[in-house]
Amino acid sequence: MGIELTGVDPFTMGSSSMSVADRLFGIVPTNPISSLAKGDVLPIIFFSILLGIGIILGGEKTKALGDVFSAAAEAVLKIAHMVMQMAPYGVLSLIAWVAGTMGLSALQNLFVLTVILYVGCLVHIIFVYGGLIRFIARLPLSNFFKGILDAQAVAYSTSSSSATLPVTLQCVQDNLGVKKTVASSVLPLGATINMDGTALYLGIVALFSAQIFGVELTFADYLLIAMTATLTSIGTAGIPSASLFLLATVLSVIGISDAQTALIVGFVLPFDRILDMARTVVNISGDATVSVLVAKSEGEINETEYRNESVI
Ligand code: ASP
């Protein structure tokens, strides 16, 4: 890629010697507490999903535990917001560091990465979401895209699915005719776990990193990247730049060390906002798509409202 990353430990380069089966079994934690202590993100996400299912199935009996986790998540989001207040200064310093230490060719490579991500996001929105709305929900596409435009604009400017949630709810209910019962259950869940744009981004950065560090990828590696990126995206919070800090999880499955990941994060971080804007638009568009599909299948959509789209 034309980027010289010095100080990289040559012994950690290349694919990890663990077999695909070992890496897959490694996702299932034998001891979740030890995974937490070691910071093994995938086993933690796996255990969290199971625990979340347990809490939902437990109903009233486990509600208190669910409330504790919701409150803890809220507190962590507040901390993240405080940290992000420093972001502009950090970004300025990092751009200066990238330009100064790696030269302008590094910036060109980041430009290519940005273009690839934007094209990928556009293709995903038009073909995957568009295809689902057109062929599965059998509804006109133009109304869908016009109806969620406000939410997409807010997602693009805030880079946060969570912050966009009120607008997504409003667009989906008022412009697409999705009934409140479906919108208010599907969208909050989607803003937390449905992040295709994030998965796409993690996958693209993983390929970018593999090229930088000369890691030869096999077909199994591609599958592992797709699976890990999807799992990691489920565990990503709907706030700016959240997934960049979970990159290590995806990169570790192709044998990229923590030190190498730190270099990549430092390299991408200054430009992450512009990448985040695009992936957040995909994330909220996916949530809107799913809410229309669920509403359609449950007969909870007012099609006249959908077709006559009244702008909020
Ligand atoms: N900013 C993204 C969102 O809120 C998450 C991420 O990929 O960093 O949806």
Side-chain angles (χ1 to χ4, degrees), residues 159-161 195 198 236-244 276 279-280 283:
S159 293
S160 166
S161 306
M195 300 209 178
T198 296
T236 303
I239 56 168
S241 287
S243 53
L244 180 64
D276 201 1
R279 62 185 190 256
T280 309
N283 292 345

Side-chain angles (χ1 to χ4, degrees), residues 5 8 13-14 208-215 251 256 259-261 263-264:
L5 291 173
V8 174
M13 283 198 176
F208 179 76
S209 311
Q211 284 183 10
I212 288 177
F213 295 118
V215 177
L251 297 191
I256 290 180
Q260 291 168 322
T261 304
L263 280 172
I264 293 291

Side-chain angles (χ1 to χ4, degrees), residues 15 55 138-139 198 202 215 240 264:
S15 277
I55 290 175
R138 299 195 175 276
L139 289 165
T198 296
L202 290 170
V215 177
I264 293 291

Side-chain angles (χ1 to χ4, degrees), residues 167-181:
V167 188
T168 319
L169 270 164
Q170 203 175 358
C171 286
V172 162
Q173 286 175 198
D174 297 354
N175 302 345
L176 302 179
V178 173
K179 300 268 170 68
K180 194 167 181 240
T181 39

Side-chain angles (χ1 to χ4, degrees), residues 244-309:
L244 180 64
F245 301 99
L246 294 177
L247 198 56
T249 319
V250 183
L251 297 191
S252 65
V253 299
I254 50 169
I256 290 180
S257 70
D258 287 349
Q260 291 168 322
T261 304
L263 280 172
I264 293 291
V265 171
F267 182 62
V268 175
L269 182 64
F271 308 90
D272 193 54
R273 183 71 187 202
I274 196 136
L275 305 174
D276 201 1
M277 290 157 95
R279 62 185 190 256
T280 309
V281 170
V282 177
N283 292 345
I284 67 100
S285 305
D287 302 339
T289 306
V290 174
S291 69
V292 170
L293 290 176
V294 173
K296 174 82 187 190
S297 75
E298 297 300 309
E300 292 284 317
I301 188 166
N302 180 341
E303 287 200 33
T304 329
E305 222 167 279
Y306 180 101
R307 289 171 200 274
N308 293 329
E309 196 242 313

